Amino acid sequence: AQSVSQHNHHVILSEAASLELGCNYSYGGTVNLFWYVQYPGQHLQLLLKYFSGDPLVKGIKGFEAEFIKSKFSFNLRKPSVQWSDTAEYFCAVNTGNQFYFGTGTSLTVIP
Amino acid sequence: DTAVSQTPKYLVTQMGNDKSIKCEQNLGHDTMYWYKQDSKKFLKIMFSYNNKELIINETVPNRFSPKSPDKAHLNLHINSLELGDSAVYFCASSQGGSRVGKLFFGSGTQLSVL
């Protein structure tokens, strides 16, 4: 069965630290890749997406992610986090008409 | 045990029919949701139910009606299905009332309207 793995369940960082959240998937075909963010008390927002082309994609609020096909990975990065980045981050993979979510990574940024 | 389960996984039907998608969560959460994956593959919230009461209805045609017999179940009924209803629908749940807690998603139902 297809799966999406987010190995970091809970990450705690100080402001200005760099962030990298891992996402790996287990599908060998063509994929569309997403990172969604859920701020406290709010619904999902799309951070960024990859459909094709440049494997390094930039999203909102200074986030970026790199698609490495050989590693089946789509890790999320931000060079310098802010307190307002405290949220749940979900990686998702779309293959054909199927959509698979990771279990989410909780990020807490300490001022 | 699956935390959030929705059935069926696939649903193929004719235009004009009425169909339902069921969702159940065994996490003890207070709030359940229906999301739709749109044509651009983005997820959008449709409904939110807290303790059997509707708290969000995001500009969804009234052919779509959520039904929550108890807080562990939120079913989605769709009347007079149209071609444009073809999409993947996701159920989710979270703890908490007016503030959305961490979401737990079902595996999706792929609806195809012919």
Side-chain angles (χ1 to χ4, degrees):
Chain A
Q2 318 304 339
S3 69
V4 179
S5 299
Q6 293 182 242
H7 304 294
N8 314 104
H9 296 293
H10 196 173
V11 173
I12 302 174
L13 294 173
S14 298
E15 275 194 315
S18 64
L19 170 72
E20 181 158 3
L21 301 183
C23 174
N24 288 89
Y25 61 94
S26 65
Y27 182 74
T30 301
V31 293
N32 299 317
L33 300 158
F34 306 81
W35 276 97
Y36 283 89
V37 61
Q38 184 191 3
Y39 294 107
Q42 298 183 29
H43 283 279
L44 292 183
Q45 295 180 37
L46 181 67
L47 263 184
L48 48 78
K49 63 189 184 298
Y50 171 80
F51 285 4
S52 63
D54 188 344
L56 183 61
V57 292
K58 296 191 183 299
I60 61 172
K61 304 186 181 184
F63 286 90
E64 65 178 31
E66 185 174 13
F67 170 49
I68 303 179
K69 189 174 181 180
S70 60
K71 294 184 178 180
F72 299 90
S73 70
F74 190 55
N75 292 353
L76 180 71
R77 300 194 291 250
K78 185 170 183 178
S80 176
V81 295
Q82 300 172 309
W83 175 79
S84 58
D85 294 324
T86 295
E88 290 283 341
Y89 292 82
F90 292 90
C91 179
V93 175
N94 165 242
T95 67
N97 284 323
Q98 293 302 309
F99 206 97
Y100 303 95
F101 279 96
T103 52
T105 296
S106 175
L107 172 65
T108 301
V109 180
I110 301 169
Chain B
D1 284 344
T2 303
V4 181
S5 60
Q6 51 183 111
T7 56
K9 192 171 179 62
Y10 301 96
L11 183 54
V12 181
T13 188
Q14 300 284 335
M15 275 176 52
N17 284 351
D18 303 336
K19 289 293 179 184
S20 296
I21 307 172
K22 295 185 177 181
C23 180
E24 176 181 5
Q25 54 95 3
N26 62 8
L27 297 167
H29 287 166
D30 291 330
T31 311
M32 296 183 71
Y33 314 86
W34 278 104
Y35 283 82
K36 180 180 178 181
Q37 181 186 351
D38 68 14
S39 58
K40 294 183 179 179
K41 307 293 189 182
F42 304 158
L43 282 191
K44 292 189 175 180
I45 184 72
M46 298 174 67
F47 297 103
S48 175
Y49 252 78
N50 175 250
N51 278 329
K52 298 174 60 179
E53 293 188 18
L54 180 66
I55 57 176
I56 288 180
N57 178 348
E58 294 284 340
T59 327
V60 176
N62 58 15
R63 298 181 296 103
F64 290 79
S65 56
K67 299 267 193 286
S68 182
D70 54 59
K71 76 173 193 177
H73 296 83
L74 182 64
N75 304 326
L76 182 65
H77 296 269
I78 316 171
N79 295 324
S80 303
L81 278 155
E82 300 177 357
L83 292 176
D85 298 332
S86 295
V88 183
Y89 293 84
F90 288 90
C91 178
S93 72
S94 72
Q95 192 55 286
S98 56
R99 286 175 57 86
V100 180
K102 177 178 174 176
L103 292 163
F104 291 77
F105 287 91
S107 56
T109 295
Q110 182 183 329
L111 171 64
S112 298
V113 182
L114 306 177

